[in-house]
Amino acid sequence: MSGPSCHPAEKRSWLQPERPSKERSNKIDTSFKAILLDSEMRVLLGTNPREEWELLGGRAEPHDATPQDTVRREVYEEAGIDIAVGAIVDTWYYDIPGEGRVAVTSYLAWPLGDVSLVLGDEHADLAFFHSRELDGINLPEGYRTSIRIGIDRLRNLQGEATHS
């Protein structure tokens, strides 16, 4: 009984694939954002160069030890506010035309001390908004969803604290 005939494997030269240029890269950046809520449950937003409102935050830098450190640093740079950073609220993908895809991870945050906004270089304006105002502004849907999840989560935590 004979089995299938075997042939020697074809020898191939494995070349390293050409690295894609930055414009063609499939890399997904990550941006860490703060759902920064004040005592009235208003969220702090800034306007970006695309004239959209967005959560404050940004990309990690080598000296940031954790994503929470990134959020604290970015909010301080963008608004001059010291903050405490809580739990992750949400992560979603944002496809920015002409720039690529960004994974946006948002964290609950609240100011430490006085809130005197200092406008940084990244935004044309900074403002606090109540959740009922979010539908009337140019705000990407992913941010809107994250903010509402964050507010609901904080309200649930506050409710649990009053019942214990």
Side-chain angles (χ1 to χ4, degrees):
M1 182 173 199
S2 71
S5 61
C6 294
H7 300 283
E10 180 181 329
K11 187 173 183 176
R12 295 186 184 181
S13 172
W14 294 100
L15 300 175
Q16 289 290 335
E18 183 180 322
R19 299 196 126 226
S21 69
K22 187 169 183 158
E23 295 82 33
R24 295 183 318 180
S25 175
N26 292 331
K27 182 180 87 170
I28 298 176
D29 286 325
T30 301
S31 185
F32 301 106
K33 302 287 187 166
I35 299 174
L36 178 58
L37 299 169
D38 68 5
S39 60
E40 298 177 42
M41 298 293 275
R42 298 177 306 168
V43 64
L44 180 61
L45 301 174
T47 52
N48 62 30
R50 295 178 303 281
E51 298 182 4
E52 300 168 326
W53 288 97
E54 66 179 0
L55 295 170
L56 276 59
R59 291 174 176 85
E61 291 186 0
H63 61 274
D64 295 333
T66 66
Q68 293 88 341
D69 286 344
T70 300
V71 172
R72 278 188 286 276
R73 177 186 51 76
E74 286 282 345
V75 170
Y76 189 79
E77 289 174 1
E78 295 174 14
I81 301 173
D82 287 317
I83 63 169
V85 179
I88 290 176
V89 171
D90 192 25
T91 298
W92 56 284
Y93 289 120
Y94 186 27
D95 293 307
I96 302 173
E99 294 184 34
R101 179 168 265 198
V102 177
V104 179
T105 299
S106 57
Y107 289 80
L108 275 177
W110 49 94
L112 296 173
D114 183 39
V115 177
S116 298
L117 298 178
V118 177
L119 188 61
D121 295 335
E122 293 192 32
H123 297 99
D125 195 12
L126 296 172
F128 280 93
F129 291 88
H130 285 284
S131 64
R132 65 181 174 271
E133 299 173 297
L134 299 178
D135 290 331
I137 62 174
N138 185 17
L139 177 70
E141 191 59 35
Y143 286 124
R144 192 175 285 116
T145 300
S146 293
I147 293 165
R148 289 191 170 129
I149 292 169
I151 290 171
D152 288 345
R153 188 166 297 161
L154 187 57
R155 284 185 177 144
N156 289 337
L157 290 172
Q158 289 173 340
E160 290 173 12
T162 59
H163 296 312
S164 36

